[in-house]
Amino acid sequence: MKTTAGFDLVPKLSCTSPEDQKSWNTFISQIRTQYPSNPNVQFKENYILFKHFEAEEHHPMLPYIGHKFLRFSSSINPNPGDNSILNSDFLSVLHTVCGIAKNIFGKKFRWWRDDLKEDGEGFYGWQEVWESWASYDMPNDPTPSPPPNINPLASPLFKVQTIPSKGRGLIATVNIPTGTRILTESPLFTIPSPPIPSLETSISKTLKPLSKEKQSAYHSLHNNYQSPSSTSKIKTPPLSGIFKTNAIPCGYNSSIAGIYLTICLINHSCIPNTYHNWNENLEQETIHAIRPINAGEEITISYISESMSNPRRKRLQECFGFDCQCQLCTSDPKQLESNDERRQRILELNESIMSNVTASYSTTTIDSTPIDCLKDCRRLIGLLGQEYDGSAVNFEGGAYYDAFRVCIRQGDQARAKVMVGRAYEMRVLCEGEDSESSRDLKRLVMNPTVHKMYGLSMKWRSEVEDVPEGLEGEEFEKWLWREG
Ligand SMILES: C[S@@+](CC[C@H](N)C(=O)[O-])C[C@H]1O[C@@H](n2cnc3c(N)ncnc32)[C@H](O)[C@@H]1O
């Protein structure tokens, strides 16, 4: 005999409560981990569908957006007969989903089964439950989590949307080619990173003269530090929590950090598809696509420079308070291991190149290794392309710049010009032509000899006109890298 059973969340989750969002994201992420490859648990665009034989009018679903959820339920056969294989499989799924939900939502979790009085009845009426189910599949949920005060810069390139396990994020609304400047944004405010005890006071003083709208826009940003962390029992005060979650340094290693109303909605990825940069000339933060981004794809940046998975996770947890759910970090352990191996080789090559290039600034260094150093640069560029899904232009540009320094130190202007030309093109893709480092590189493209390493040795002497004509593809590369 069939019956209906399931659970309700009472009260329903709020669309403006970051805590509710966070619990729901944790719930969805645990369901994902639990069912990486069960054909009956299907991850659709807007919800997870649990297919099973006993379901009559609908298969149970879990939406990715928590505040849409009222009930998870289905008809079941508590005494399975002939169809026992499929049915008992679903009973085990139901048991697992309920166990995870109970654990995360505590008192909000209300189990019921309509043939058992002691388990009570569902809390919500069926009419509203059906309406909530119908809302799961509504495209472009118009009321995800952005509180009303936030007004992300209107852009035809992206929209703000709730992303499973990450809160809000930016989604491309059109195909975006590499090098597109997706955003430039002035900070809401900047402050020098003060010592932690005075952070709350500094932010409070900075916010005071701002308009009410700007102050509430600040408060509407995500705060990942609402409860004490596992490592420290002390609760982070609210203004500091928002700052720690969102602040971006104004430039590499800068002690000044800025808050942005739109850029701070961009989530982190360990294989990001955009590059963020503080443009000193514009006094704005810019976001550029570093590989083609398809419409519907999430726009991501990297919050950190750590490359290996363990230090990466540790840093993201310690400094930003979250467990990374990006494509790389949620890939299977074997995949992650092979990425780590490649990243380890990248780090080693990079270190070796850096120590050679840095040492060769000195006139007294006997430079016996420039050819090896060039080889390492080429190898590094190859590995970077593989590791970062073709999106390593920022790092590749660095490798071309190192190769430029090797060549110019030896007086080889022809190769130096090609190398720095490529470094420049890549910098422009990441930062645009108007950034300070793009301009510095352009000066070197115009005249490589202005670099201070020029002429420390003249072993490979050549003029810029000596770039051979008529060589193409691999032939040209062989000449460029002095191979063969
Ligand atoms: C600067 S905010 C980004 C916008 C945020 N998602 C929101 O809803 O406003 C940073 C927070 O987003 C979430 N987040 C960003 N990247 C993430 C990732 N790769 N995995 C999981 N959560 C992420 C974390 O809660 C993090 O503290």
Side-chain angles (χ1 to χ4, degrees), residues 288-439:
H288 284 81
I290 52 175
R291 66 171 164 78
I293 303 174
N294 294 325
E297 202 180 322
E298 186 183 359
I299 293 169
T300 54
I301 55 177
S302 176
Y303 294 179
I304 53 169
S305 56
E306 277 74 3
S307 119
M308 308 292 286
S309 55
N310 281 337
R312 241 173 28 226
R313 284 183 178 144
K314 195 161 171 251
R315 180 95 202 283
L316 287 170
Q317 187 47 258
E318 279 175 8
C319 299
F320 299 91
F322 69 90
D323 290 322
C324 185
Q325 299 293 326
C326 81
Q327 185 198 336
L328 182 61
C329 292
T330 52
S331 60
D332 74 82
K334 270 206 174 132
Q335 176 68 40
L336 203 53
E337 203 178 301
S338 88
N339 284 87
D340 268 353
E341 276 169 22
R342 195 157 46 207
R343 287 184 179 215
Q344 183 59 40
R345 274 187 286 142
I346 288 174
L347 283 179
E348 285 162 8
L349 272 174
N350 202 33
E351 258 171 36
S352 149
I353 295 167
M354 285 313 290
S355 67
N356 275 322
V357 173
T358 320
S360 61
Y361 267 97
S362 151
T363 40
T364 54
T365 311
I366 300 160
D367 41 286
S368 55
T369 56
I371 203 77
D372 293 339
C373 202
L374 273 191
K375 267 196 194 123
D376 284 350
C377 290
R378 190 168 192 200
R379 226 176 281 148
L380 178 60
I381 289 165
L383 283 175
L384 285 168
Q386 289 167 26
E387 178 60 23
Y388 289 90
D389 202 10
S391 66
V393 278
N394 51 326
F395 302 128
E396 283 177 33
Y400 276 113
Y401 183 65
D402 289 336
F404 156 77
R405 290 193 290 179
V406 173
C407 295
I408 204 64
R409 187 183 194 283
Q410 307 299 327
D412 185 350
Q413 290 189 56
R415 288 180 181 79
K417 189 176 171 80
V418 176
M419 297 294 190
V420 79
R422 291 184 182 180
Y424 168 70
E425 279 167 19
M426 292 183 173
R427 192 67 12 221
V428 170
L429 289 178
C430 294
E431 299 179 358
E433 288 176 353
D434 52 6
S435 86
E436 208 42 47
S437 35
S438 295
R439 288 180 182 175

Side-chain angles (χ1 to χ4, degrees), residues 165-178:
S165 320
K166 298 184 194 164
R168 291 165 296 180
L170 300 191
I171 299 287
T173 45
V174 291
N175 293 338
I176 303 176
T178 308

Side-chain angles (χ1 to χ4, degrees), residues 121-135:
E121 286 181 341
F123 181 82
Y124 301 105
W126 279 106
Q127 177 65 29
E128 55 179 332
V129 168
W130 278 103
E131 279 167 15
S132 83
W133 288 344
S135 77

Side-chain angles (χ1 to χ4, degrees), residues 32-50:
R32 270 184 196 279
T33 314
Q34 188 72 34
Y35 299 108
S37 57
N38 181 330
N40 294 327
V41 181
Q42 299 177 356
F43 294 85
K44 304 285 185 193
E45 197 182 342
N46 298 317
Y47 53 84
I48 308 172
L49 183 70
F50 295 77

Side-chain angles (χ1 to χ4, degrees), residues 37 71 73 97 123 127 180 194 231 238 256 300 364 445 451 457 475:
S37 57
R71 171 170 300 165
S73 74
V97 172
F123 181 82
Q127 177 65 29
T180 305
T231 48
I256 298 174
T300 54
T364 54
V445 177
H451 194 274
S457 152
E475 283 305 303

